[in-house]
Amino acid sequence: TQLLEQSPQFLSIQEGENLTVYCNSSSVFSSLQWYRQEPGEGPVLLVTVVTGGEVKKLKRLTFQFGDARKDSSLHITAAQPGDTGLYLCAGYGGGSNYKLTFGKGTLLTVNP
Amino acid sequence: DSGVTQTPKHLITATGQRVTLRCSPRSGDLSVYWYQQSLDQGLQFLIQYYNGEERAKGNILERFSAQQFPDLHSELNLSSLELGDSALYFCASSPSGTGFFGTEAFFGQGTRLTVV
């Protein structure tokens, strides 16, 4: 069973601060996705990383896939209240492992 | 709007009953996933269908079943409901369900099931 552990579970910061959340596994994933979920809504895809060591930037968000494709991080620069939400990572096994497995998420609150 | 439609949005039912949740995937997507989300367990993968065939199974209880129809919509059937089945149930669709980008999932707004 492929498990994804996300940390921290909860994070409360002030507007303008930087933060990093982590997604770790003992398993290798073919690709890894990050989603953001707001209350009462379904998760929304932010990015997909596929190559070990890959870094992708989306405005103030920077995503990195670990060299061994077992872990990933999401860094947010100058957080804004609109960044508040549940951040979920999801790993795709690849090959004949079709499952898309989600971590439990990091609940981020950015206070004005 | 993700393009994935789930109905109903809310459902309240009694223990022991049976309910059916419905999902219409994005136009052109062949793969449908069902997830259960609760506060303590997070998003739990239940089952995946691709073009009408079951492709992957997660921790789906025997009381639960699903299918994908020729028009690609999917239904999740939950029977002999228990209090612990209360949760948000999400449907997601993806283009193919394989490959780096074919698994990028687009989620519906979910069905909130409350068993009383």
Side-chain angles (χ1 to χ4, degrees), chain A residues 68-83:
Chain A
R69 306 208 316 277
K70 293 183 180 181
D71 55 85
S72 181
S73 64
L74 159 59
H75 181 79
I76 301 179
T77 304
Q80 299 176 359
D83 296 327

Side-chain angles (χ1 to χ4, degrees), chain B residues 50-71:
Chain B
Y50 172 76
N51 204 19
E53 299 289 327
E54 181 184 307
R55 174 173 268 179
K57 217 167 186 175
N59 299 325
I60 187 166
L61 300 172
E62 283 192 14
R63 300 184 286 108
F64 296 180
S65 65
Q67 58 185 133
Q68 186 179 28
F69 294 87
D71 67 353

Side-chain angles (χ1 to χ4, degrees), chain A residues 32-52:
Chain A
L32 200 135
Q33 301 160 12
W34 283 91
Y35 294 78
R36 190 177 89 181
Q37 184 179 16
E38 297 187 23
E41 302 290 328
V44 176
L45 178 71
L46 296 173
V47 77
T48 300
V49 286
V50 302
T51 306

Side-chain angles (χ1 to χ4, degrees), chain B residues 20-108:
Chain B
T20 297
L21 313 184
R22 183 187 167 100
C23 170
S24 293
R26 287 190 325 158
S27 177
D29 283 357
L30 298 177
S31 187
V32 169
Y33 307 80
W34 285 99
Y35 288 87
Q36 179 192 60
Q37 188 176 39
S38 58
L39 282 174
D40 56 339
Q41 293 294 322
L43 265 173
Q44 293 289 304
F45 171 70
L46 296 178
I47 198 163
Q48 180 198 6
Y49 279 83
Y50 172 76
N51 204 19
E53 299 289 327
E54 181 184 307
R55 174 173 268 179
K57 217 167 186 175
N59 299 325
I60 187 166
L61 300 172
E62 283 192 14
R63 300 184 286 108
F64 296 180
S65 65
Q67 58 185 133
Q68 186 179 28
F69 294 87
D71 67 353
L72 301 178
H73 92 271
S74 179
E75 292 181 356
L76 179 67
N77 300 295
L78 315 175
S79 61
S80 302
L81 285 167
E82 302 174 359
L83 296 177
D85 297 328
S86 295
L88 265 171
Y89 290 84
F90 283 104
C91 164
S93 73
S94 67
S96 66
T98 61
F100 298 139
F101 302 105
T103 57
E104 290 177 339
F106 295 84
F107 282 77

